[in-house]
Amino acid sequence: MKNKAVIFTIICITIITLIIFGTYKFITNFKEDKEITKEKSNEIVQNFDLFNKSVQQFAKERDYFYNQRENTFLEEFAKNTKNWNDLIKDYQKSIENIEKNSTILKENCTVKFADPNINSKCTIFKSTYEAANNYYISDIKNYNKTVDEYNKWAKEKGENHLNKGNLTIYKDYIDYDKDKEYFGKEENNDPK
C-alpha cells in the first residue's frame, strides 16, 4: 500500500512539474514570438522608408534615362559615348541600390502580421520591387537593341562603341509577389 502511495505521489509531482514547465515554456515562447514580431515590424517600417527612397531615386534615373533616349538619334550617340556609358552604369547602380535596400524586407515580409499597416508595407514592397526590376529589365533589353544598332553603325563609321547595359540582379522578368502577373514588364513579344 505504501508503494502505491509513493508511486502515486511521484506521478502527481511529475505531472504537476510537467504542467508547470509546459506553461512556463508556452508563456516564454509567446513572449519571445511577440518580441521577434515587434522587432521584425520595426525593421520593416525602418527599411521600407529606405527602400522607398531608393525606388524614388530609381524613378528619377529612369525618367532622365528616357528623356535622354527619346531626344537622341542613333548617329548622335557618337557625340558622347562616354556620357552614355556613364549613364547606363548609373542606372545599373540605382537598381543595385534597390536590391541592397530590399534585403531586410525580403527576409521579413514572408509571413502575415497582425498589424495591417505592416502587411500593407510588405504588399507595396513586393509589387514595387517586382515593377522596378521588370522595368529595368525592359529598359536594358530595349537599350541593348539600340546599342547593337549603334555599334554596327559605329563600326562602319569608325566611331566609339557604346557599352551594353547589364542585367545584374535578374536575367529575366520576375513575378515576385506571385500573382501570375509581371508588373513592370513592357515588352509585348516575350512569351513570359
Side-chain angles (χ1 to χ4, degrees), residues 11-185:
I11 290 175
C12 286
I13 291 172
T14 304
I15 290 174
I16 291 171
T17 304
L18 288 174
I19 290 172
I20 291 171
F21 179 73
T23 305
Y24 169 77
K25 200 68 172 148
F26 175 77
I27 292 171
T28 304
N29 287 343
F30 181 76
K31 286 181 180 179
E32 284 178 15
D33 284 349
K34 192 174 179 181
E35 277 301 310
I36 290 170
T37 301
K38 184 178 177 182
E39 187 178 301
K40 286 185 181 234
S41 295
N42 289 338
E43 286 180 345
I44 288 170
V45 169
Q46 291 169 359
N47 284 280
F48 183 80
D49 291 338
L50 188 62
F51 169 77
N52 201 28
K53 286 177 186 173
S54 61
V55 168
Q56 289 172 356
Q57 182 60 38
F58 172 78
K60 286 180 188 174
E61 298 259 348
R62 187 168 193 254
D63 286 344
Y64 181 73
F65 179 71
Y66 264 86
N67 286 335
Q68 294 300 307
R69 283 203 60 206
E70 74 182 20
N71 295 319
T72 304
F73 293 103
L74 193 64
E75 296 81 17
E76 292 175 338
F77 283 106
K79 293 178 185 173
N80 56 10
T81 54
K82 182 187 178 328
N83 289 343
W84 278 101
N85 289 334
D86 290 344
L87 178 67
I88 203 68
K89 271 188 202 171
D90 290 343
Y91 193 43
Q92 180 180 324
K93 287 177 187 172
S94 69
I95 197 68
E96 289 170 351
N97 197 33
I98 287 175
E99 184 66 19
K100 181 182 84 173
N101 292 329
S102 68
T103 304
I104 300 291
L105 294 171
K106 283 181 178 180
E107 292 171 5
N108 293 337
C109 285
T110 57
V111 295
K112 289 278 186 195
F113 290 84
D115 184 348
N117 183 39
I118 301 301
N119 287 329
S120 175
K121 287 187 184 311
C122 285
T123 301
I124 292 168
F125 156 70
K126 289 175 184 178
S127 63
T128 305
Y129 178 80
E130 177 180 313
N133 277 286
N134 287 342
Y135 282 138
Y136 178 78
I137 290 168
S138 292
D139 294 346
I140 295 302
K141 285 183 175 186
N142 288 328
Y143 178 74
N144 286 347
K145 287 177 187 175
T146 303
V147 168
D148 286 340
E149 289 176 39
Y150 168 78
N151 284 343
K152 184 178 176 183
W153 175 87
K155 186 175 182 180
E156 293 171 3
K157 303 293 183 189
E159 298 287 346
N160 291 331
H161 284 72
L162 287 175
N163 297 331
K164 286 187 172 186
N166 293 320
L167 298 173
T168 57
I169 297 158
Y170 296 101
K171 303 296 181 201
D172 208 354
Y173 299 101
I174 62 170
D175 180 16
Y176 190 78
D177 58 5
K178 310 255 188 280
D179 65 354
K180 298 186 182 3
E181 293 181 24
Y182 294 84
F183 186 45
K185 180 180 175 183

